[in-house]
């Protein structure tokens, strides 16, 4: 005679949601009473068995894919009386594609630039020593994604969900989670965010003449403070144009008086510097 009881408890570690492709989870089949070693266990998804009967009450998945979404259940078989079976509750698991961190920039007038990193709808802590309610820790990189993550002493101010860098540069971020007990180095990282530029653009005159004469041609150069070795494209705003022209080089020659300003754009990304302060050309 088969004796079936619905008094096993299935839970998943880590228990955050959503889960993403590449992560791993452990399914734990817990009996509400008695010794777990007196039983064998099997785990299934949507009614299809993932394991044979095994003596361990836990099963760690391979790296998850979106096909692993579904309803999971465990069944315990008593060793000395195999006809005594305990079934667990069903637990739904949803697996989404690996996320990409999102990086935004706030440039207050006269203040320090603030960068904020988030994963999905989360925008919690950006310090590697603290995490959000969904388990994410945030890591910051300057100039190259291959560099070591920034720390509070690296000329950046870590505060809440943001950093305020004191030096210009190209910044990235990414999220990580899954260290032992939620602590330690993560075992799973998001994709890097797109780069964001905090450098300033500056217009300089090739020859520092106090005045130029009408009809003379001057040469202006657009420079990027602390360019970090990045490759730039340049855009100019000149008296000849009411709206910004197409991208040009870093050097501008002109014989027209008025205000000139420029900005830099990363060649491998859409992020740009702010417009430089206007450089006024006066003629006599």
């Amino acid at each position: 005679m088969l004796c079936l009881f619905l008094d096993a408890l299935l839970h998943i570690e880590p228990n955050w949601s959503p889960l993403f492709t590449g992560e791993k989870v452990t399914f734990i089949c817990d009996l509400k009473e008695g010794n777990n070693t007196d039983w064998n266990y099997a785990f299934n998804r949507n009614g299809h068995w993932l394991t044979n009967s095994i003596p361990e009450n836990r099963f760690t998945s391979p790296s998850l894919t979106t096909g692993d979404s579904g309803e999971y259940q465990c069944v315990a078989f008593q060793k000395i009386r195999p006809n005594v079976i305990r079934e667990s509750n069903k637990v739904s698991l949803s697996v989404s594609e690996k996320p990409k961190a999102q990086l935004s920039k706030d440039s207050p007038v006269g203040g320090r630039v603030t960068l904020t990193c988030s994963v999905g709808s989360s925008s919690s802590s950006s310090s590697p020593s603290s995490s959000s309610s969904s388990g994410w820790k945030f890591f910051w990189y300057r100039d190259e994604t291959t560099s070591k993550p920034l720390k509070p002493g690296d000329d950046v101010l870590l505060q809440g969900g943001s950093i305020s860098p004191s030096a210009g540069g190209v910044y990235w971020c990414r999220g990580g989670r899954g260290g032992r007990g939620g602590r330690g180095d993560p075992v799973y990282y998001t994709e890097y965010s797109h780069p964001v530029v905090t450098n300033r653009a500056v217009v300089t005159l090739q020859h520092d003449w106090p005045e130029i004469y009408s009809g003379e041609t001057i040469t202006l150069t657009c420079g990027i403070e602390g360019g970090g070795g990045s490759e730039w494209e340049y855009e100019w705003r000149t008296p000849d144009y009411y709206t910004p022209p197409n991208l040009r080089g870093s050097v501008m020659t002109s014989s027209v008086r008025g205000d000139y300003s420029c900005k830099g754009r990363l060649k491998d990304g859409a992020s740009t510097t702010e417009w430089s302060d206007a450089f006024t050309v006066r003629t006599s």
Side-chain angles (χ1 to χ4, degrees), residues 22-265:
E23 289 192 285
K24 295 182 179 181
V25 293
T26 299
F27 301 92
I28 301 172
C29 193
D30 188 21
L31 302 181
K32 296 181 181 179
E33 59 184 25
N35 193 335
N36 285 327
T37 59
D38 294 334
W39 300 76
N40 287 322
Y41 303 86
F43 298 82
N44 71 69
R45 179 184 69 243
N46 299 331
H48 299 284
W49 295 108
L50 299 173
T51 67
N52 295 319
S53 180
I54 57 176
E56 293 81 17
N57 72 328
R58 59 184 57 217
F59 165 68
T60 299
S61 71
S63 296
L64 294 171
T65 69
T66 54
D68 290 317
S69 298
E71 282 196 334
Y72 288 77
Q73 188 179 34
C74 69
V75 179
F77 306 87
Q78 196 174 63
K79 290 180 179 179
I80 60 174
R81 293 186 296 170
N83 61 325
V84 177
I85 298 175
R86 292 186 177 181
E87 289 189 348
S88 76
N89 55 309
K90 293 182 179 181
V91 176
S92 293
L93 184 147
S94 177
V95 183
S96 302
E97 292 291 348
K98 186 174 184 177
K100 181 176 182 177
Q102 302 298 316
L103 182 55
S104 59
K105 177 175 73 171
D106 178 28
S107 303
V109 177
R112 260 172 101 163
V113 171
T114 299
L115 305 178
T116 300
C117 190
S118 62
V119 177
S121 60
S122 171
S123 57
S124 297
S125 171
S126 42
S127 168
S129 62
S130 55
S131 60
S132 73
S133 58
S134 61
W136 293 111
K137 301 175 183 179
F138 293 94
F139 298 81
W140 297 86
Y141 306 84
R142 181 167 57 211
D143 294 336
E144 298 289 343
T145 56
T146 54
S147 62
K148 292 183 178 180
L150 297 174
K151 302 186 298 296
D154 296 332
D155 296 322
V156 296
L157 176 63
L158 299 174
Q159 49 181 9
S162 308
I163 66 168
S164 294
S166 60
V170 181
Y171 289 83
W172 286 263
C173 73
R174 64 174 174 168
R177 68 181 184 183
R180 182 182 296 274
R183 301 182 296 275
D185 293 333
V187 296
Y188 182 82
Y189 290 95
T190 67
E191 301 286 357
Y192 287 96
S193 70
H194 60 278
V196 165
V197 175
T198 62
N199 308 69
R200 280 178 48 83
V202 178
V203 177
T204 55
L205 184 63
Q206 187 180 53
H207 300 291
D208 192 19
W209 299 321
E211 279 186 317
I212 60 173
Y213 294 99
S214 180
E216 238 180 345
T217 298
I218 53 132
T219 300
L220 301 172
T221 301
C222 184
I224 309 297
E225 292 183 345
S230 299
E231 294 189 27
W232 301 90
E233 295 172 328
Y234 300 88
E235 189 172 344
W236 287 89
R237 192 156 55 190
T238 76
D240 298 281
Y241 295 89
Y242 181 72
T243 57
N246 294 328
L247 296 175
R248 297 183 179 181
S250 61
V251 178
M252 164 72 66
T253 58
S254 180
S255 59
V256 179
R257 66 181 179 181
D259 291 337
Y260 293 77
S261 56
C262 72
K263 67 178 178 180
R265 181 191 308 273

